[in-house]
Amino acid sequence: NAGVTQTPKFQVLKTGQSMTLQCAQDMNHEYMSWYRQDPGMGLRLIHYSVGAGITDQGEVPNGYNVSRSTTEDFPLRLLSAAPSQTSVYFCASSSTGTRRNGYTFGSGTRLTVV
Amino acid sequence: GNSVTQMEGPVTLSEEAFLTINCTYTATGYPSLFWYVQYPGEGLQLLLKATKADDKGSNKGFEATYRKETTSFHLEKGSVQVSDSAVYFCALSDVSLDTGNQFYFGTGTSLTVIP
């Protein structure tokens, strides 16, 4: 089925480790974003991309890197994991902007940093 | 700036009760408004949307009307079911010179429907 695919679904990291959260969409969407979801805080934007080769920071970018080498893929890298990065991470994509169509979300990655 | 405020939960209702989840917004431009639903362990799914003032979005018995005069987009359902138990997010998308198209989410309202 077409949609946004995130891997892995669950991950436990030790403090200081690095890892990459994968996100892929097969809908040829230009816009892609990464959000983190924490209790009582809703969703906060980490990084976003308006097309291949173009990325920008969101509300909470520190400790994360992204790249967008293809339209389909938008990986999120944690450089040196910290307990404060324990969260549920969602990738989302949209065509022709979010204004009218809204985002399609992946099923999420639950990350625990110990 | 842009922001979304929705009523805090959790909300617990009996089956067949009437549901209202309040959502108000602030926006600098002409936003589109959305309601998303998140079932346990899943990602967010678009429930309904409205792209201009006075539009009514509806889906699965839920509806919400874009009220520009009160800057509101309240979610309603006449008769809830146990299967409606989920977290509901109100969201706004708008265009800004700094960030282009952006999405702004409320903090979510947890709904539990008991038989």
Side-chain angles (χ1 to χ4, degrees):
Chain A
N1 291 338
V4 178
T5 302
Q6 290 185 237
T7 56
K9 291 190 180 300
F10 301 94
Q11 183 71 49
V12 179
L13 288 179
K14 294 182 178 179
T15 297
Q17 286 185 317
S18 62
M19 79 160 294
T20 299
L21 280 62
Q22 302 292 342
C23 175
Q25 52 91 8
D26 57 3
M27 299 171 284
N28 202 33
H29 283 173
E30 304 95 330
Y31 291 78
M32 296 186 76
S33 297
W34 275 102
Y35 289 86
R36 60 178 289 173
Q37 183 180 28
D38 301 294
M41 303 189 75
L43 282 81
R44 292 183 291 170
L45 181 65
I46 304 172
H47 286 284
Y48 66 98
S49 169
V50 300
I54 305 170
T55 64
D56 209 342
Q57 296 180 351
E59 180 185 358
V60 288
N62 292 342
Y64 307 95
N65 275 356
V66 292
S67 60
R68 185 96 180 268
S69 57
T70 66
T71 299
E72 295 78 18
D73 299 301
F74 191 43
L76 178 72
R77 298 182 187 85
L78 279 70
L79 308 174
S80 177
S84 61
Q85 294 178 305
T86 294
S87 187
V88 181
Y89 292 85
F90 289 101
C91 179
S93 73
S94 174
S95 65
T96 61
T98 64
R99 175 172 164 75
R100 297 186 68 84
N101 299 322
Y103 272 127
T104 299
F105 282 84
S107 57
T109 295
R110 185 175 295 275
L111 175 68
T112 302
V113 182
V114 298
Chain B
N2 296 322
S3 67
V4 175
T5 302
Q6 62 181 105
M7 66 183 284
E8 294 190 13
V11 175
T12 302
L13 294 174
S14 297
E15 206 164 24
E16 300 183 1
F18 184 86
L19 169 70
T20 300
I21 301 178
N22 290 338
C23 172
T24 58
Y25 68 90
T26 58
T28 55
Y30 300 92
S32 294
L33 301 173
F34 304 82
W35 277 100
Y36 279 81
V37 58
Q38 184 181 30
Y39 299 104
E42 298 184 10
L44 279 72
Q45 303 173 26
L46 179 64
L47 181 60
L48 53 84
K49 68 177 182 180
T51 57
K52 62 182 187 297
D54 299 326
D55 270 1
K56 177 184 283 188
S58 61
N59 186 26
K60 300 181 180 180
F62 292 89
E63 58 182 34
T65 301
Y66 187 161
R67 302 283 189 200
K68 189 174 180 182
E69 63 276 13
T70 54
T71 61
S72 65
F73 193 56
H74 305 322
L75 182 68
E76 296 181 336
K77 187 175 186 183
S79 177
V80 294
Q81 305 301 311
V82 172
S83 57
D84 294 327
S85 298
V87 180
Y88 293 82
F89 290 90
C90 185
L92 169 159
S93 83
D94 201 359
V95 177
S96 79
L97 294 176
D98 294 331
T99 60
N101 287 336
Q102 279 304 329
F103 235 61
Y104 302 85
F105 286 92
T107 53
T109 301
S110 175
L111 170 67
T112 300
V113 180
I114 55 178

